[in-house]
């Protein structure tokens, strides 16, 4: 069964697809401030956290720099740098919270906005005040529009907050596509030569971060640099209890794949984990105790990306799953540029043939050549990330591909 057909089957059955391969709401491991919330009850939220702090822009930027907070939407960009860029802009910016959860394997932002929407609103509103924003826009999945709207209606300081339903498709969650959608555009990735924080649609600067990042900003503003000492992970696949869990990530703490999988009840020996989602990479079981790091290029570190950990158990085939993912990614084109429209389908076909065991000796070279043709040529980074996923899969499973060529996969279940 393909990734696409599984999602379609779940939709027809009427079950909520809250993370692609999650056929229903995940368990919530609420052990920290992000997931300990009062839903839409603003009075209860105020009793727990007090009023929204009001640091000026420079003070907030200094706090965020001291905290080391990076974006939790996958890019891990330092939040203080984005804020300082917006502060130097000539025009008043727009603050946008991206809670659209574009990754099929992620449910963390949806869970956060369900159990603790007021923490997200706190972060958005205090950021908007610090940068003198013209407005605050919160983008959420369609099923959460009413819920988040009730949270907004419960607080007088949020009367001007706009709620916008998320766009469709994987590329609809890309930052510039979100910025386009909230300003009445088509909701497609933009051809950008400057960051959104410098100039977004209509040349207005945009401070855009995902929901978890904005909630972490609220914690830093309230409790100081150590406030954002946890982060969220969606753990799915071959685990006992698929869940969204909150784990320590501050100075002096060690968070790794093994800890997250343990929170989900553990996995079978011989499993492998896809970490960071479709733009992430594979981590073998023997490396699950390697600490997470957001610093690119750190030797031995594992980057958590968007906080996705999908476990492929010992009876399932990671190569087959990877081929389905690449095929699905090829179908997520925004239809705006050649690398997506033509390059990714060709790459998916060639990679799929390798996964199916085609013995053609020229196939590996063709896959590498097609990957090179799509990189750095798209309007957004979708083709680059798809090519990177292909490269990561080839590097992670050379023996698996060899077994496929000899039709000796041996996996009882494809995935």
């Amino acid at each position: 069964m393909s990734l696409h057909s599984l999602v379609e089957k779940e939709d027809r059955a009427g079950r909520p697809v809250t993370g692609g391969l999650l056929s229903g709401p995940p368990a919530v491991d609420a052990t920290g401030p992000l997931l300990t919330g009062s839903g839409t009850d603003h009075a209860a939220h105020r009793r727990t956290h007090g009023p929204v702090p009001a640091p000026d822009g420079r003070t907030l930027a200094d706090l965020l720099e001291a905290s080391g907070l990076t974006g939790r939407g996958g890019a891990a960009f330092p939040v203080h740098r984005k804020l300082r860029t917006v502060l130097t802009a000539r025009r008043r910016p727009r603050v946008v919270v991206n809670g659209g959860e574009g990754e099929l394997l992620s449910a963390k932002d949806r869970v956060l906005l369900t159990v603790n929407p007021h923490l997200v609103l706190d972060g958005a509103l205090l950021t908007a005040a610090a940068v003198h924003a013209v407005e605050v826009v919160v983008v959420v999945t369609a099923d959460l529009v009413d819920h988040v709207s009730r949270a907004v209606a419960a607080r007088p300081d949020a009367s001007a907050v706009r709620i916008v339903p998320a766009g469709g498709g994987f590329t609809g969650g890309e930052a510039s596509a979100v910025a386009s959608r909230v300003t009445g555009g088509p909701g497609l990735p933009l051809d950008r030569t400057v960051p959104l924080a410098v100039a977004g649609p209509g040349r207005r600067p945009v401070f855009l971060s995902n929901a978890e990042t904005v909630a972490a900003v609220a914690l830093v503003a309230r409790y100081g640099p150590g406030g954002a000492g946890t982060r969220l992970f969606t753990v799915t696949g071959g685990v006992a209890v698929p869940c969204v869990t909150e784990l320590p990530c501050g100075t002096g703490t060690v968070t790794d794949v093994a800890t997250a999988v343990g929170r989900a009840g553990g996995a079978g020996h011989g499993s492998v984990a896809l970490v960071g989602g479709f733009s992430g990479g594979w981590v073998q079981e023997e490396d699950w105790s390697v600490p997470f790091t957001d610093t690119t290029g750190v030797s031995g570190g594992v980057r958590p990306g968007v906080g996705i950990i999908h476990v492929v158990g010992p009876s399932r085939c990671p190569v087959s799953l990877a081929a389905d993912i690449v095929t699905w990614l090829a179908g997520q084109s925004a239809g705006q540029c050649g690398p997506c429209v033509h390059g990714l389908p060709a790459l998916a076909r060639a990679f799929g043939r390798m996964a199916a065991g085609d013995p053609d000796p020229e196939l590996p070279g063709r896959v590498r050549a097609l990957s090179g043709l799509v990189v750095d040529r798209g309007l957004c980074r979708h083709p680059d990330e798809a090519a990177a996923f292909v490269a990561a899969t080839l590097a992670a499973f050379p023996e698996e591909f060899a077994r496929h060529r000899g039709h000796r996969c041996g996996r009882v279940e494809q995935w």
Side-chain angles (χ1 to χ4, degrees):
M1 179 182 291
S2 71
L3 188 73
H4 182 69
S5 63
L6 174 61
V7 173
E8 282 191 335
K9 179 180 178 182
E10 291 178 340
D11 283 343
R12 287 197 298 270
R15 296 190 298 267
V17 184
T18 60
L21 302 186
L22 286 169
S23 56
V28 178
D29 180 28
T31 56
L34 291 170
L35 295 184
T36 303
S38 308
T40 60
D41 189 337
H42 186 231
H45 176 76
R46 283 285 299 266
R47 287 194 296 271
T48 300
H49 293 288
V52 180
D56 61 36
R58 179 176 297 179
T59 300
L60 180 59
D62 289 344
L63 284 169
L64 293 172
E65 182 173 13
S67 75
L69 179 64
T70 56
R72 305 284 171 79
F77 189 80
V79 180
H80 77 91
R81 289 176 54 188
K82 186 184 299 185
L83 186 69
R84 293 188 199 279
T85 299
V86 167
L87 286 169
T88 61
R90 293 183 178 180
R91 300 188 66 185
R92 292 174 63 192
R94 175 178 287 111
V95 170
V96 179
V97 179
N98 185 6
E101 203 91 78
E103 291 262 3
L104 279 181
L105 296 174
S106 180
K108 69 182 182 69
D109 289 325
R110 185 182 186 280
V111 167
L112 172 62
L113 284 163
T114 300
V115 303
N116 210 352
H118 288 295
L119 191 64
V120 178
L121 292 172
D122 286 351
L125 291 166
L126 72 88
T127 300
V131 300
H132 305 288
V134 293
E135 68 170 342
V136 175
V137 185
V138 181
V139 178
V140 298
T141 52
D143 59 321
L144 282 182
V145 169
D146 289 344
H147 178 78
V148 178
S149 295
R150 286 194 295 273
V152 168
R155 49 192 301 167
D157 60 345
S159 59
V161 172
R162 276 201 297 137
I163 307 297
V164 174
F170 187 64
T171 54
E174 191 268 342
S176 68
V178 174
S180 167
R181 182 174 179 80
V182 303
T183 54
L188 299 174
L190 303 174
D191 188 3
R192 290 186 290 137
T193 56
V194 297
L196 289 173
V198 174
R203 308 304 297 172
R204 184 176 297 283
V206 180
F207 180 92
L208 188 150
S209 286
N210 91 307
E212 183 189 350
T213 309
V214 175
V217 169
L219 293 172
V220 170
R222 271 198 173 94
Y223 306 116
T230 60
R231 68 182 302 158
L232 303 180
F233 292 88
T234 308
V235 190
T236 59
V239 292
V241 184
C243 70
V244 172
T245 185
E246 184 171 357
L247 296 176
C249 67
T251 303
T253 62
V254 176
T255 297
D256 51 28
V257 175
T259 303
V261 171
R263 290 284 186 88
H269 179 63
S271 299
V272 65
L274 175 61
V275 179
F278 299 161
S279 58
W282 299 95
V283 181
Q284 304 291 342
E285 186 180 22
E286 58 266 28
D287 295 322
W288 284 7
S289 61
V290 175
F292 285 125
T293 177
D294 271 333
T295 306
T296 303
V298 172
S299 178
V302 174
R303 295 194 69 190
V306 73
I308 288 171
I309 299 174
H310 183 73
V311 176
V312 180
S315 66
R316 297 182 182 271
C317 179
V319 168
S320 174
L321 172 58
D324 286 335
I325 288 173
V326 176
T327 298
W328 185 84
L329 290 173
Q332 293 300 300
S333 168
Q336 297 187 111
C337 60
C340 261
V341 174
H342 304 295
L344 289 189
L347 176 59
R349 287 192 295 271
F351 186 77
R353 287 172 58 194
M354 285 188 66
D358 190 323
D360 184 348
E362 295 184 0
L363 263 181
R366 177 166 176 76
V367 167
R368 287 192 294 270
L370 287 168
S371 295
L373 286 173
V374 302
V375 171
D376 290 331
R377 298 188 182 187
L379 286 175
C380 69
R381 293 195 57 80
H382 178 56
D384 304 58
E385 292 172 350
F389 177 73
V390 167
T393 303
L394 292 173
F397 305 113
E399 295 179 356
E400 290 285 345
F401 280 101
R403 281 193 284 269
H404 278 231
R405 285 195 299 274
H407 301 287
R408 294 178 285 105
C409 176
R411 308 282 183 168
V412 177
E413 302 170 274
Q414 283 299 289
W415 62 270

